[in-house]
Amino acid sequence: QIDLVRHAQLPLDMLFSAELFEHYKPDAQTYLGACALLDLAPAQVMLVAAHSDDLAAAKSFGLRTAFVARPREWGPHPREVTAAAGVDLNVDSLEMLAQQLGA
């Protein structure tokens, strides 16, 4: 994952992965472990994802959620993508997410 982030030149301070916690989604520790490392309450943390099941699990543990559509995730032919019910933000790009968050 870190190689992908570097290649995309994303300015991240930390990259959380399930491997860091030795727990895997939808286990609570994969979501709450990041909150603990950040010393933040779950309501102060947002999971950004393109998969409804990840977002629903994060929401069930009290995290804020943002759905980012990736219609070409499975190949060159766009497919319809819809956000999980109850997500806090539903956007088409990370740029749009940043705008909605006022960044």
Side-chain angles (χ1 to χ4, degrees), residues 1-3 6-7 9 23 27 30-31 34 41 48-49 53 63 74 76 85 96 99:
Q1 286 183 338
I2 196 69
D3 289 337
R6 287 179 180 150
H7 179 74
Q9 299 178 341
H23 290 264
D27 188 291
T30 59
Y31 306 95
V48 178
D53 54 343
L63 281 75
W74 303 107
M96 185 183 289
Q99 288 174 347

Side-chain angles (χ1 to χ4, degrees), residues 15-57:
L15 176 66
F16 296 102
S17 172
E19 285 77 18
L20 180 65
F21 307 109
E22 297 182 352
H23 290 264
Y24 299 91
K25 298 174 189 173
D27 188 291
Q29 189 58 30
T30 59
Y31 306 95
L32 300 178
C35 299
L37 286 176
L38 293 167
D39 196 27
L40 295 171
Q44 296 175 287
V45 176
M46 176 178 278
L47 177 73
V48 178
H51 302 110
S52 294
D53 54 343
D54 290 342
L55 293 164

